[in-house]
Amino acid sequence: MRIAAGLVFASSLAASLLTSGTAWSQAQRTAAAPAPAAAPAPAAAPAAQTQPPRAPCMNAEALGVGRTVEIDTTGGPGFGFEHFKDLDFLRDHEVVLTFDDGPWPENTPAVLKALSEQCTTGIFFIIGKHATYYPEILKQVYAAGHTVGTHTWSHAALTNKKLSEDQRKEEIELGISAVKWALGGNSPAPFFRFPALQHPPEMVTYLGTRNIGIFSCDLDSFDFKARNAQAVIDVTFKKLDKLGKGIILMHDFHKHTAEALPELLRRLKAGGYKVVAMRAKEPVKSLPQYDEQLAKVAKLPTVSQRPVSSVVTTVSE
Ligand SMILES: [Zn+2]
């Protein structure tokens, strides 16, 4: 049996301060400068920084954040009633917004804009390869104060019997190392979602040994099948109004989701739903061997950001 997760409900006072634009949150923002996005990446010896808080909210009508919960992922707790039914922590009309498969140009920034306009937040489950393609977009997700989790290196189905156990672990671990690299050395949360929500038991056990929480969902928006933005909204609310709460699975990778989000968030507010922010008690600890492997796989610079002219000098010709 799984070790029960500790769910520490962070101060609702802090959550309300974050959404109300107070001097307190201004002070926190100032203290968090400079923004990580401005930092060169990859750094030779990246120093982990504290993630900046979300910006103060300027929209009095915004959806906002109802409360923030801190998750102790010791033992690898599972969330989302489609697969894991031990941890029923959401109250009636509470939702968690989750976004998979990014970062991706245009769609991820559009999702970030919609979340920002409504002063709300979600968890982004990142594909490692995509993080290496678009580290600057991932940095924007992190800098905006959203929770960053991981979603394997290449989105391989980990139930694929052609993959050895080592290859499955590599998919998980390289994904973590890639996100850490893309964030300039800042580690993501120990939050993981399996591709296609396929949960091979031995990898569920492995994540338990790594103290990484597993995220299924309560309702799937099926946005990857949607023909347009309206279909994303219709499927989501048909399920949500029936369940009354839940972790919602969406994809910031998809155009229709990015297009649907402003209206979807307005409808959540109108329907009396409250967004719950899920934060990790501690960041995940990447494994050094995979950090090194990532550097080789992605052919990434690991030592120096110096310009060629400062490294190579013609002394005769
Ligand atoms: Zn996915």
Side-chain angles (χ1 to χ4, degrees):
M1 180 165 168
R2 237 170 243 299
I3 297 168
L7 292 170
V8 181
F9 293 174
S11 156
S12 58
L13 174 64
S16 64
L17 284 172
L18 277 172
T19 56
S20 62
T22 63
W24 177 86
S25 52
Q26 287 284 11
Q28 292 295 304
R29 261 165 72 77
T30 306
Q49 300 162 5
T50 306
Q51 185 176 16
R54 292 186 303 278
C57 187
M58 301 304 174
N59 176 5
E61 303 301 313
L63 173 62
V65 173
R67 65 180 172 128
T68 300
V69 297
E70 186 179 277
I71 307 299
D72 179 349
T73 56
T74 305
F79 298 93
F81 265 47
E82 279 204 9
H83 296 91
F84 303 103
K85 303 192 194 304
D86 287 346
L87 297 167
D88 185 11
F89 73 98
L90 290 177
R91 302 166 187 159
D92 182 44
H93 274 65
E94 283 188 337
V95 295
V96 176
L97 307 175
T98 67
F99 301 96
D100 292 5
D101 295 1
W104 205 250
E106 296 186 19
N107 301 335
T108 302
V111 165
L112 292 178
K113 181 167 181 280
L115 293 174
S116 169
E117 284 171 357
Q118 288 290 336
C119 305
T120 195
T121 191
I123 310 173
F124 289 74
F125 291 99
I126 303 297
I127 294 176
K129 273 190 178 178
H130 291 181
T132 65
Y133 300 160
Y134 305 111
E136 294 308 319
I137 299 176
L138 183 56
K139 284 195 180 83
Q140 290 170 27
V141 176
Y142 186 80
H146 303 299
T147 300
V148 176
T150 64
H151 192 45
T152 72
W153 163 246
S154 71
H155 211 265
L158 299 190
T159 46
N160 181 348
K161 291 191 167 36
K162 289 179 184 164
L163 294 179
S164 67
E165 187 154 334
D166 281 350
Q167 286 173 316
R168 289 169 214 223
K169 285 180 188 171
E170 185 178 284
E171 272 288 320
I172 293 169
E173 299 293 353
L174 267 188
I176 292 168
S177 292
V179 170
K180 181 181 172 186
W181 170 82
L183 291 177
N186 290 308
S187 292
F191 293 176
F192 178 82
R193 180 172 270 156
F194 283 97
L197 302 183
Q198 295 178 338
H199 300 83
E202 66 277 16
M203 286 301 105
V204 170
T205 302
Y206 175 70
L207 289 168
T209 67
R210 291 280 283 120
N211 298 322
I212 294 172
I214 304 169
F215 283 71
S216 174
C217 67
D218 293 277
L219 62 116
D220 192 335
S221 67
F222 283 119
D223 55 349
F224 61 96
K225 293 182 180 174
R227 288 194 308 272
N228 52 42
Q230 191 59 45
V232 178
I233 295 166
D234 291 346
V235 171
T236 300
F237 280 94
K238 190 176 174 197
K239 293 180 177 180
L240 184 57
D241 288 339
K242 190 172 161 203
L243 289 173
K245 64 177 185 176
I247 298 172
I248 304 173
L249 169 56
M250 294 174 278
H251 295 81
D252 57 310
F253 177 73
H254 281 289
K255 182 166 174 270
H256 293 148
T257 309
E259 290 170 350
L261 205 59
E263 176 62 16
L264 193 147
L265 297 177
R266 276 193 290 275
R267 282 195 46 183
L268 284 174
K269 170 79 175 175
Y273 290 100
K274 298 215 180 317
V275 171
V276 173
M278 294 180 78
R279 293 300 165 86
K281 190 175 177 194
E282 311 242 0
V284 69
K285 291 183 180 64
S286 66
L287 300 179
Q289 72 193 82
Y290 294 99
D291 289 344
E292 287 165 23
Q293 190 178 337
L294 182 273
K296 288 178 199 152
V297 167
K299 296 187 173 57
L300 302 167
T302 55
V303 177
S304 175
Q305 287 294 292
R306 289 160 59 201
V308 171
S309 61
S310 83
V311 178
V312 180
T313 306
T314 301
V315 292
S316 71
E317 70 178 20

